Amino acid sequence: MARTALRPLRDRVGSITSGTLAWIYAALLIVPFYYFVVSAFKSNDEIFESPLAFPGRWDFGNFATAIGQADLVLAVANSVLTTVGALVLTLLLALPASFALARSAGRLGRIVENVFALGFLIPSFAALFPTFLLAAALGLFHTRTFVVFLLPATALPLSVVILTSFMRTIPRELEEAASMDGASTLQVLRQVYLPICVPGIATVLLLNFLSFWNAYLYPLILTGPDTAQRTIQVALPTLKVDAGTDYGVLMAGTLFTLLPVYLVYTVLQRQMQRALVSGALKG
């Protein structure tokens, strides 16, 4: 009886503790984001004097200054071009490779899959010098084109591992039924696997979009000093000048560049959540 009586008390204490920790974690996320947003509408003096207070006047001048000073509209357009091009190329390469690995039952398929997984062990800076030499040899140095070709190479290991694992959960009977109806291998991939793999594809798109959009080192080196070629992550640091940093302008420019990320995440988050839940249930 004593143990039975203590159980509601223990559950209540556990619920209060977990709720408190959840609110603390939420505050750790919300407070910095709030500071970041309100600072985009303040001057340097307001940021340092009253960092958490609302701005005295909601002025969008910082956004106009950031966009004009760093030419952020052109930089965002360059980031969209390189990111979309790299995403399309990644899917064109990863989907057939994952389909072949998922259907393979022999030792060779496992070896190839392990080779893809080895890509996780290569740090990005280790391939910097060979990448520079390759871009120069191809005549694509200081161009966005080489960035589009390079980014999928960095994303293929994760993309292939995720899509292969997802495709292996598809019953082989569906493929056999399609083959009996006269479907070719390409039709099986397009009509059977792709519709079922939409959550997995959305996961790959979202993860790679965040990686490509936030890429800094390789776009900085490969696009060079040409302002017409630089991406958003390369353009943002130019808001810092020798006379000092206008943190309001810097915050406004950063907030402006986060809008595409928020839109893409809003579109793909449901499919990604479906993929995670599906994987958990099947696991």
Side-chain angles (χ1 to χ4, degrees):
M1 292 292 293
R3 290 183 179 179
T4 305
L6 287 174
R7 188 172 302 167
L9 178 61
R10 190 184 311 160
D11 293 341
R12 197 179 311 124
V13 172
S15 177
I16 294 173
T17 302
S18 61
T20 303
L21 292 176
W23 278 108
I24 293 174
Y25 179 70
L28 292 175
L29 295 177
I30 293 174
V31 171
F33 181 72
Y34 165 79
Y35 170 75
F36 171 71
V37 172
V38 297
S39 296
F41 297 90
K42 294 180 178 180
S43 64
N44 272 358
D45 293 338
E46 288 181 295
I47 291 174
F48 290 116
E49 291 175 2
S50 52
L52 295 180
F54 283 108
R57 187 167 59 94
W58 294 89
D59 186 9
F60 286 85
N62 286 342
F63 290 89
T65 302
I67 293 171
Q69 182 177 330
D71 204 357
L72 292 185
V73 174
L74 178 60
V76 168
N78 287 334
S79 288
V80 170
L81 288 174
T82 55
T83 300
V84 172
L87 286 175
V88 171
L89 187 56
T90 300
L91 286 183
L92 289 177
L93 295 173
L95 284 171
S98 302
F99 177 60
L101 291 174
R103 299 169 76 243
S104 175
R107 181 180 299 178
L108 180 60
R110 291 292 181 181
I111 294 175
V112 174
E113 187 176 357
N114 290 333
V115 170
F116 273 106
L118 288 176
F120 293 115
L121 304 179
I122 303 176
S124 59
F125 64 85
L128 185 59
F129 186 65
T131 301
F132 166 77
L133 294 178
L134 180 61
L138 294 175
L140 296 176
F141 194 51
H142 289 176
T143 65
R144 293 186 302 259
T145 304
F146 192 80
V147 177
V148 174
F149 289 144
L150 173 69
L151 291 178
T154 66
L156 277 177
L158 179 62
S159 302
V160 169
V161 169
I162 291 177
L163 291 175
T164 301
S165 300
F166 207 90
M167 287 184 180
R168 283 204 177 106
T169 64
I170 298 175
R172 187 60 63 91
E173 290 77 9
L174 294 177
E175 178 183 347
E176 294 174 352
S179 299
M180 291 178 62
D181 290 338
S184 63
T185 302
L186 183 59
Q187 289 174 327
V188 170
L189 172 60
R190 188 176 66 249
Q191 298 175 5
V192 177
Y193 278 76
L194 291 188
I196 301 177
C197 287
V198 169
I201 295 173
T203 301
V204 168
L205 285 175
L206 181 57
L207 294 177
N208 288 334
F209 173 82
L210 295 175
S211 176
F212 296 165
W213 186 266
N214 294 320
Y216 175 73
L217 179 61
Y218 281 102
L220 173 66
I221 295 173
L222 294 175
T223 57
D226 186 2
T227 58
Q229 301 281 336
R230 64 189 182 188
T231 60
I232 190 62
Q233 303 303 331
V234 179
L236 273 178
T238 62
L239 292 174
K240 298 177 65 176
V241 296
D242 295 335
T245 301
D246 190 331
Y247 291 100
V249 173
L250 183 60
M251 297 287 189
T254 305
L255 187 61
F256 175 76
T257 65
L258 290 179
L259 293 178
V261 178
Y262 175 75
L263 292 176
V264 171
Y265 177 77
T266 302
V267 172
L268 297 178
Q269 65 169 334
R270 289 185 178 274
Q271 294 294 340
M272 185 174 180
Q273 290 170 358
R274 283 180 55 192
L276 295 175
V277 171
S278 175
L281 293 177
K282 293 174 182 177

